[in-house]
Amino acid sequence: MSAFWNGFTDYLHTFLFGIYPYICMGVFVIGSLIRFDRDQYTWRSGSSQLLRRRQLVIGSNLFHFGIIFLFFGHFVGLLTPHWAYDWLISPGQKQIVAVTAGGIAGVICFIGLSMLLHRRLFDGRIRRTSTYADTGILVLLWVQLSLGIITLPFSIGHSDGAAMLQLSAWSQAIVTFQGGAADLIRGLDFPYYAHLVLGMTLFLVTPFTRLVHIFSAPVWYLFRAWQIVRVRGGATTRPGPVMPPGMVAPPARPLPADTRPNVAVVE
């Protein structure tokens, strides 16, 4: 019985950390492309801003600030080769930086997500307009953040950075399609394993949920030019001043032909 159990756990470990990552990556990429091609109308965040707006604004800002920081922190921290930074900072020092910065961002993100989940579950109007996928993805994210926070004491216990080096080696082996990646993270504490599996599962379910809107983040809004909108018939005149009651405003002055902007026309 002991041999069977050991064999089963070994196979499960190999599957979860050697095969499952590629299943998640494949579904994430191919599923997202298919959804974008076939169901572009559903490619949206599904905002409920009109309902209970104040809590949404606070919770959403906290959540998005934290999750963006955590995403890029994990991306850089796990996929940067050891030789690229060992001349500047030791693994132990990098571990302290990661725990401190990641812990602060994780708590901020957790507070924001808790507000969003509370709003989704306990506001009757929002709950009735939500799908199971809307609520389910928030629950998965909440559990994932909780697991991430739980790993902080274990990371502090590995102050030499050994666990971080194992996780980095595994991540880099996965993205470079190296064999035996699962063996690189044997012996880690269970919260790390749970955090990794649920993190990969989030990539797996992304094409089927509102998470696809991360590909359409409107970053370009920060750099776009001003858009001038006018009603039809007012393209060639400059608006006159607003006059008090009883006074007649002077006629609008025509714009020079070479300075008339290209504008959108609203009926």
Side-chain angles (χ1 to χ4, degrees):
M1 186 65 180
S2 176
F4 171 79
W5 177 251
N6 290 336
F8 174 75
T9 55
D10 183 71
Y11 172 79
L12 184 62
H13 180 91
T14 302
F15 173 79
L16 289 177
F17 304 107
I19 301 174
Y20 188 58
Y22 295 109
I23 296 175
C24 296
M25 289 170 60
V27 173
F28 174 73
V29 174
I30 298 174
S32 298
L33 291 175
I34 292 175
R35 180 173 177 182
F36 183 78
D37 181 63
R38 296 173 59 89
D39 298 300
Q40 291 189 24
Y41 181 74
T42 66
W43 193 283
R44 55 192 175 88
S45 62
S47 175
S48 57
Q49 184 175 348
L50 295 177
L51 305 174
R52 204 168 179 176
R53 182 177 184 274
R54 186 169 183 271
Q55 186 177 2
L56 171 66
V57 171
I58 297 174
S60 180
N61 287 337
L62 292 175
F63 167 71
H64 283 94
F65 169 80
I67 202 69
I68 291 172
F69 186 93
L70 290 172
F71 175 81
F72 286 104
H74 281 69
F75 184 84
V76 175
L78 292 175
L79 298 181
T80 302
H82 175 60
W83 56 263
Y85 63 82
D86 62 350
W87 57 274
L88 179 65
I89 187 173
S90 68
Q93 293 170 329
K94 183 185 176 186
Q95 180 87 336
I96 294 174
V97 172
V99 169
T100 303
I104 294 173
V107 171
I108 292 174
C109 188
F110 182 82
I111 293 172
L113 184 58
S114 296
M115 295 177 65
L116 296 178
L117 186 59
H118 174 271
R119 177 177 173 275
R120 183 74 59 178
L121 293 176
F122 295 98
D123 189 298
R125 296 181 302 168
I126 299 174
R127 188 173 61 251
R128 285 191 293 271
T129 58
S130 302
T131 65
Y132 290 116
D134 293 337
T135 305
I137 200 63
L138 288 179
V139 172
L140 284 178
L141 287 169
W142 191 89
V143 174
Q144 175 70 345
L145 278 171
S146 300
L147 289 172
I149 294 173
I150 289 172
T151 62
L152 293 178
F154 294 93
S155 297
I156 295 173
H158 299 286
S159 58
D160 59 350
M164 180 197 65
L165 290 176
Q166 283 184 269
L167 292 168
S168 297
W170 172 80
S171 302
Q172 294 165 32
I174 289 295
V175 299
T176 55
F177 302 96
Q178 299 179 27
D183 296 330
L184 299 174
I185 53 172
R186 291 189 182 275
L188 290 178
D189 298 297
F190 177 76
Y192 288 114
Y193 292 142
H195 190 56
L196 287 175
V197 171
L198 189 53
M200 292 184 288
T201 303
L202 286 172
F203 282 95
L204 179 73
V205 302
T206 290
F208 314 103
T209 66
R210 61 167 57 192
L211 286 182
V212 292
H213 79 277
I214 62 177
F215 298 116
S216 305
V219 179
W220 58 275
Y221 272 111
L222 300 175
F223 310 102
R224 63 176 292 185
W226 289 101
Q227 182 179 10
I228 303 174
V229 180
R230 63 171 176 78
V231 297
R232 183 179 295 278
T236 61
T237 59
R238 190 192 310 275
V242 178
M243 304 299 292
M247 299 185 66
V248 179
R253 293 174 296 169
L255 289 174
D258 57 346
T259 61
R260 295 173 188 173
N262 293 324
V263 295
V265 178
V266 179
E267 295 288 355

